[in-house]
Structures are given as C-alpha cells and as structure tokens.
Amino acid sequence: MTEQSLRNSFVRRRAFLRGGAAVGAGALLTACTSNEAPAQNNAANVANAGANSQPGTPVTIGFSAPAADHGWMAAITKNARAQAQKFSEVTLNATEGTNDVNQQISQVETLINAKVNVLVILPFDGKALTAVGQQAMDAGIQVINLDRVFDTPLAYRTWIGGDNYRMGVNAGNYIAQQMKAKNIASPVIGEVAGIDSLPLTQERSKGFKDALARQGFQVGPRVSAQFTPESGEQQTSNLLQSAAKLDALWNHDDDQGVGVIAAINNANRKDFLMVGGAGSKNAMNLIKTDAEPLKATVLYSPSMASSAISLARLLGQGKGAGDFAEHEIPAEITTYSAVVTKENVDKYMDVGFDS
C-alpha cells in the first residue's frame, strides 16, 4: 500500500495520541461531565445517537482519492461509495482516482467550485494537496483529511487514519508472545518492510523494534519491499537465502504479502510463523485455514473511508458523534491496529479487502 503519509511537524504531536489519548473510530464514549450524573449523560448520548442515525438535511459530499492501483486503495474508494449509499440524504460526488498530483488538485478545485457541503480527501501527496485543502476550508467547505495527512491542520476540519506505529507495536507484541509460548529464548525475527523512505514505513519499523525490545528481543534479518507482490516475493527470497534459521517474520503489508507467501512456499520453508499487515481477505482466509505460516495480520483497515463518509455526513448536518459526550466531531481520529488471528478472524472478515 503506497500511502505517502507526510506528517511533518505534527508527527510528534500525533505520537502523543498513540499513547492512548486518541479516539478510535466507532468507539463508544460514555464519559460524564462534572455537571451531570452518569445516568443522565448516558441517556442523552443514547438519544443523540438515535437522532443522528435518522435521515437529516441533504448533504453533498465530494470525494477524492488516488488511483485504485492496488487492493488497499481500491477498497478505500469502494468503501466510501458503499457507505454513502447507506444514507438516503447523502449525494456522493466522487472524482476519478489519480496518482497525478496536479490532476487531483484540479479535481478537488472542481468539487470546491461545485459547492459541495463537505470534502473527503485522501491526498496522493499530503504536502502537495495542502494548499487546495486550505482553499476548501477558506471557502467554508469542511474537509475530512483521510489517512495521508496535510502539512497543516488549517487544511482540514478532521483527520482520520491509521496508526502505523501501533501496527508495529502490536505485530511485535504478538510475535514476542508466541516466542515465549514456544520457550524460544533468543528467536531470530525477520522483517519485510515497505518503502523505507516513507515515514509510514519508518513508524511501523520503529514500533516493531520498540515492542520487541521491551520483551528482550530484537529484529534480525530485514529487507525493504515496495508494497507490491513482485517486490515482496523478490525481497523475501533474498531474506530467506540469507537466513538459514528463522523463528518469526513480520511483513508490513498484505498486498505485498501475496509475493512474500509465494517466496516462502517456493523455498519450502515451514520453520517459522508469519504476521501480516493491513488486513486483506486473502490473508484472513489463510489465517482461518491455518495451513500457511501466516498466523496473524495487524489491521490498517480501509474501512476508515467508510467512517470518513459518516463523519462528513454529520459535519454537513451540524451534528456530533452520537455516542460521544462532546457536541462536536473530534479533530483527529486514529483507528486501532487490531491483531487478527484464527480465534477472532470471523469478527474482522467484513473489513477485509481483496489484494
């Protein structure tokens, strides 16, 4: 998944959110204020949630995303369209996906000129699309910035996206637990990363390294792929040739994981367990059958696009999140990187995507 999440100066600020202050998409918040009894506040939340689920004033949502050139990105647009269809009062004005920055800017400007009520933008390049996001906000059109972040919060009303650092942490924690359960004192743990120059890959790798270090383990052989099946197969073949012994392997992305698993099968290696990333249906089906080295995958789900459309609807209607105590939609929402295993895979199949 070739997301270019250019978070610049406020990566550090969002790092605080990763420590537990972030609100997970779809989470229920039942906190009470100092002026209300919990029962009163909870009742108000329930009533608000019910009202928000009812059709409201018509809302036109503009949607712009990169080209659907791989499974994860294709699912982003698919999920957005499907979610919009659930609301009778929502009209979705979606542009054709493009990886041409100038073309995406032009498409967003067209949506601004069409006077859509709210914009949902997953920029091909967050830095390059910042100005047009700010242009929309200045025109009174609220912007939902999806995943790849703009350079400044002035360019969006709400950001929603995944937690790359937490992906690495949860992958590392799962592998550490498995190694301890097998009584492997000094395991050899490999890593097939994505594109190393991208901040998202750096964040995932750091989380992985940090989690393993807390358990007294370290990352062993490591290669960097390109988020494609072809690069995944090539780089994993190189890793396996250099690692005669391997106890566990984390692959950052299930799209490139198609090639990673092909390389493992070609090498006839069955001496280690594997964890994937993102949460494709392909990976989940393999986890469910328990016939491959793949035992888990860590979510970075494109279902965030569905949540973005829901948030855009509420913003367009001047509503808050029904289950939240606050009256306004949060400024930032970080989805959670759940670990999908054989034991819970059925719960997550609905958010899986086709690689």
Side-chain angles (χ1 to χ4, degrees), residues 46-59:
V46 171
N48 195 25
N52 284 358
S53 66
Q54 299 302 313
T57 57
V59 177

Side-chain angles (χ1 to χ4, degrees), residues 1-5 65-79 97-99 122-124 147-148 194-195 198 200 204 226-231 252-258 277-282 300-302 304 352-355:
M1 135 184 50
T2 56
E3 324 102 327
Q4 292 178 311
S5 175
D69 54 5
H70 58 282
W72 189 89
M73 193 61 74
I76 283 286
T77 298
K78 180 180 178 181
N79 287 353
T98 178
N99 292 340
L122 197 166
F124 179 76
D147 196 43
R148 302 178 189 174
I195 302 171
L198 298 181
L200 71 92
R204 292 178 187 183
Q226 300 289 315
F227 292 123
T228 65
E230 296 78 12
S231 66
H252 284 205
D253 179 78
D254 289 334
D255 277 333
Q256 76 182 19
V258 173
S280 74
K281 286 183 181 177
N282 313 57
Y300 195 95
S301 177
M304 65 178 72
F353 61 94
D354 294 322
S355 290

Side-chain angles (χ1 to χ4, degrees), residues 100-343:
D100 183 317
V101 169
N102 291 326
Q103 184 176 358
Q104 188 176 20
I105 291 172
S106 177
Q107 289 174 343
V108 173
E109 288 176 338
T110 298
L111 293 172
I112 294 172
N113 293 333
K115 301 187 185 304
V116 297
N117 300 116
V118 187
L119 268 168
V120 175
I121 305 174
L122 197 166
F124 179 76
D125 182 322
K127 182 177 182 178
L129 270 290
T130 295
V132 77
Q134 196 161 349
Q135 179 183 338
M137 291 289 289
D138 291 344
I141 299 173
Q142 299 189 86
V143 175
I144 303 287
N145 180 195
L146 180 57
D147 196 43
R148 302 178 189 174
V149 78
F150 294 138
D151 264 1
T152 171
L154 296 176
Y156 64 82
R157 163 59 178 80
T158 292
W159 174 87
I160 178 170
D163 190 337
N164 289 294
Y165 181 82
R166 186 76 62 182
M167 277 187 77
V169 168
N170 289 352
N173 285 341
Y174 176 82
I175 287 176
Q177 291 168 2
Q178 298 303 307
M179 296 298 97
K180 290 186 175 183
K182 295 175 182 291
N183 294 316
I184 303 176
S186 300
V188 179
I189 302 171
E191 179 182 5
V192 182
I195 302 171
D196 266 341
S197 62
L198 298 181
L200 71 92
T201 297
Q202 297 163 15
E203 291 173 23
R204 292 178 187 183
S205 288
K206 186 176 189 310
F208 189 54
K209 180 180 179 180
D210 290 350
L212 291 178
R214 287 189 64 187
Q215 303 297 326
F217 300 143
Q218 61 183 8
V219 180
R222 183 185 185 280
V223 293
S224 173
Q226 300 289 315
F227 292 123
T228 65
E230 296 78 12
S231 66
E233 182 172 3
Q234 179 181 355
Q235 293 301 321
T236 304
S237 295
N238 294 339
L239 184 149
L240 294 176
Q241 289 174 11
S242 65
K245 181 182 185 300
L246 198 61
D247 296 296
L249 179 69
W250 181 40
N251 163 54
H252 284 205
D253 179 78
D254 289 334
D255 277 333
Q256 76 182 19
V258 173
V260 173
I261 291 173
I264 293 171
N265 290 336
N266 290 339
N268 196 28
R269 293 288 294 270
K270 300 179 180 180
D271 53 314
F272 59 90
L273 66 86
M274 174 182 163
V275 176
S280 74
K281 286 183 181 177
N282 313 57
M284 291 187 193
N285 284 327
L286 289 175
I287 291 167
K288 190 169 183 176
T289 60
D290 201 26
E292 299 284 343
L294 185 65
K295 301 302 179 186
T297 187
V298 185
L299 292 187
Y300 195 95
S301 177
S303 61
M304 65 178 72
S306 300
S307 298
I309 295 298
S310 293
L311 290 169
R313 168 183 172 263
L314 294 175
L315 281 174
Q317 295 175 343
K319 298 176 180 177
D323 295 315
F324 285 30
E326 291 74 25
H327 294 286
E328 303 290 342
I329 297 295
E332 295 188 350
I333 300 176
T334 305
T335 62
Y336 186 69
S337 301
V339 179
V340 179
T341 65
K342 183 180 178 181
E343 289 70 29

